[in-house]
Amino acid sequence: HALFIRPTTLNFASVFAHRKTHSAPPSQLHSGTRLQAPTKHSITMALTYKALVAALLMAPAAADITLVAFDGSEGAISDFTELNDPVMGGQSSGTFDVAADGTYGIFDGEVKDVPSLSAPGFIKAAADGSFNDASAAIDGSLVLTVRSSTPEYTGFRVSFAAGTTSAAYACSGGGSLPFSRGCFKAQFDVPAGDEFTTVSVPFNMFSDKWSPATGEQTTTCADDSGVCPTADKLSSIQRVEVWAEGALGDVHLEISDIRAVSAAAAPVVPSVELIPDDYKTCSGAVQDGLRFNMSSRTQAYGLAVPVSDGESLAEAVCCDSRVKPYAEPQYTYVAPDISLYEHLDESGVTTFYDSVCGLPLFMAPMNRTLDEFKADTDEHGWPSFRPEEVVEENIVTDEETGYVTSACGTHLGSFLPDAEGDRWCIDLSCVSGNPITVN
């Protein structure tokens, strides 16, 4: 798990998401089990048609606002200027052109080391103007319709400036210089493929405090709401930028449009179905209503490899083999919207269940105090369990590869022994399930 640390992900789930109840097949049930009465959770999920219609009538209006487009869309901006790394000796270079048919922009170039710094430079393309009012989409995402012949490139970023005296100055300082707040930046990945695809970056993943040297956020929206975009900011966007920075390599990005899309306007797709069959490893869909508020992480943002747009964090980390060597963002469990420790049994033992099939997997703390469990977890950055806390019959540990899976096939994390002995370093996304209804 120490191989990769990523920014946390937060988005607003639609109340109209495709819902299913899940239960383990008979082969996965303990011997001697018998069915329980329906739980409050399962009853709640069984919404009547009448209740669903009422919910639809009360739903917020959908908003889909075009900010950037090259097809003449009303109010859209399309005039971009490319800027190379201005640091003395910087060797990164790029171009921005509009395709011959006038329907998309082409951002092309290469990011190289700055010799004097021995660190990657950057290239970017910026568009200035009075953009359409996007305030109605504050609960949603910035959506880019893009394709790339360099999907392996990991330094793609997008930013927008609002409420600044000088957008150019703010987007060069990232809040590190006096009066340079108001340029909000976030990272994004582009899936491989020849067709244009949509990439959604939730607005609450943007921050106007980031390093001008690397582009990495220095303060995240999850940690401090003061760095988050607001509806007022989205109403008066002054500049939109697309970046390649913080990573060496060739860059080719084609942009059809950039839009602000509210949560109500986002397409509702059972995201587990978006995982290609060749990569899908789970025995079923991730449960709705995961504990610890993990179901709110509806975007698998900032992973080391691109995944299908629309996969949730749990689906990507627990069920998509492309992500198997990596992990959920370090310290996800202490994010303000998750706050694992606030949900633990202070005077007893907390059981952690499979996020797909509901099997009990870990029970903590066992043979140690809760404070010792917390200290172990805090030291490593992911929930960390010791041998006494493992429900052995439901866990498969491959000591050669280090992969840990459940008996029903859900990827859980890594087996990483340390000086204290055997340790299971586990993604909270994958052990936040609700128990199967058996006793």
Side-chain angles (χ1 to χ4, degrees), residues 26-195:
S27 61
Q28 294 171 1
L29 303 180
H30 294 294
S31 60
T33 60
R34 55 190 175 84
L35 294 178
Q36 287 267 38
T39 64
K40 179 180 179 182
H41 174 72
S42 63
I43 293 172
T44 301
M45 291 172 62
L47 294 173
T48 64
Y49 176 76
K50 181 178 179 180
L52 183 57
V53 170
L56 286 168
L57 292 174
M58 293 185 293
D64 191 332
I65 303 106
T66 300
L67 303 175
V68 171
F70 301 88
D71 60 0
S73 297
E74 183 178 356
I77 305 295
S78 60
D79 187 12
F80 279 80
T81 300
E82 197 277 334
L83 175 67
N84 296 329
D85 188 351
V87 174
M88 185 175 295
Q91 298 181 2
S92 302
S93 63
T95 59
F96 192 95
D97 299 296
V98 177
D101 64 2
T103 59
Y104 60 91
I106 304 170
F107 182 41
D108 194 78
E110 182 181 5
V111 177
K112 297 182 179 181
D113 266 339
V114 179
S116 61
L117 302 177
S118 297
F122 71 85
I123 58 176
K124 71 174 180 179
D128 292 299
S130 180
F131 291 83
N132 288 326
D133 182 344
S135 58
I138 186 61
D139 69 341
S141 303
L142 191 70
V143 177
L144 300 87
T145 305
V146 292
R147 65 184 176 190
S148 176
S149 60
T150 58
E152 70 282 357
Y153 185 72
T154 60
F156 286 123
R157 307 188 199 283
V158 62
S159 61
F160 61 90
T164 67
T165 302
S166 168
Y169 175 73
C171 289
S172 65
S176 65
L177 302 174
F179 311 108
S180 66
R181 299 287 299 276
C183 184
F184 300 89
K185 182 184 284 191
Q187 185 265 349
F188 68 94
D189 299 313
V190 182
D194 296 330
E195 302 299 323

Side-chain angles (χ1 to χ4, degrees), residues 212-233:
T214 66
E216 294 287 344
Q217 296 179 1
T218 55
T219 304
T220 68
C221 181
D223 291 334
D224 180 1
S225 62
V227 305
C228 308
T230 63
D232 182 59
K233 296 293 186 184

Side-chain angles (χ1 to χ4, degrees), residues 54-366:
L56 286 168
L57 292 174
M58 293 185 293
D64 191 332
I65 303 106
T66 300
L67 303 175
V68 171
F70 301 88
D71 60 0
S73 297
E74 183 178 356
I77 305 295
S78 60
D79 187 12
F80 279 80
T81 300
E82 197 277 334
L83 175 67
N84 296 329
D85 188 351
V87 174
M88 185 175 295
Q91 298 181 2
S92 302
S93 63
T95 59
F96 192 95
D97 299 296
V98 177
D101 64 2
T103 59
Y104 60 91
I106 304 170
F107 182 41
D108 194 78
E110 182 181 5
V111 177
K112 297 182 179 181
D113 266 339
V114 179
S116 61
L117 302 177
S118 297
F122 71 85
I123 58 176
K124 71 174 180 179
D128 292 299
S130 180
F131 291 83
N132 288 326
D133 182 344
S135 58
I138 186 61
D139 69 341
S141 303
L142 191 70
V143 177
L144 300 87
T145 305
V146 292
R147 65 184 176 190
S148 176
S149 60
T150 58
E152 70 282 357
Y153 185 72
T154 60
F156 286 123
R157 307 188 199 283
V158 62
S159 61
F160 61 90
T164 67
T165 302
S166 168
Y169 175 73
C171 289
S172 65
S176 65
L177 302 174
F179 311 108
S180 66
R181 299 287 299 276
C183 184
F184 300 89
K185 182 184 284 191
Q187 185 265 349
F188 68 94
D189 299 313
V190 182
D194 296 330
E195 302 299 323
F196 280 101
T197 186
T198 57
V199 174
S200 300
V201 186
F203 282 116
N204 51 21
M205 290 307 303
F206 283 84
S207 169
D208 69 349
K209 283 191 174 182
W210 41 268
S211 166
T214 66
E216 294 287 344
Q217 296 179 1
T218 55
T219 304
T220 68
C221 181
D223 291 334
D224 180 1
S225 62
V227 305
C228 308
T230 63
D232 182 59
K233 296 293 186 184
L234 293 186
S235 72
S236 56
I237 295 175
Q238 304 161 288
R239 167 178 278 217
V240 171
E241 298 180 327
V242 179
W243 299 67
E245 66 176 330
L248 302 176
D250 293 328
V251 176
H252 183 87
L253 182 69
E254 298 177 1
I255 306 166
S256 173
D257 59 58
I258 300 176
R259 302 168 359 254
V261 180
S262 67
V268 177
V269 180
S271 50
V272 73
E273 297 178 8
L274 298 175
I275 304 175
D277 289 340
D278 289 346
Y279 303 117
K280 193 182 301 182
T281 59
C282 285
S283 60
V286 170
Q287 293 180 5
D288 293 308
L290 293 177
R291 297 193 301 163
F292 319 122
N293 200 34
M294 288 306 304
S295 288
S296 70
R297 303 302 179 97
T298 59
Q299 293 285 331
Y301 176 76
L303 299 182
V305 293
V307 296
S308 305
D309 188 42
E311 286 186 47
S312 69
L313 181 64
E315 282 149 348
V317 173
C318 315
C319 300
D320 191 327
S321 63
R322 292 172 290 187
V323 187
K324 194 172 183 178
Y326 306 100
E328 71 187 11
Q330 192 177 30
Y331 295 107
T332 291
Y333 66 93
V334 292
D337 60 312
I338 304 299
S339 299
L340 170 65
Y341 293 159
E342 294 181 8
H343 300 282
L344 299 182
D345 186 339
E346 291 289 338
S347 59
V349 174
T350 299
T351 302
F352 295 81
Y353 298 90
D354 190 298
S355 292
V356 174
C357 68
L359 285 176
L361 303 173
F362 300 96
M363 301 176 68
M366 298 288 285

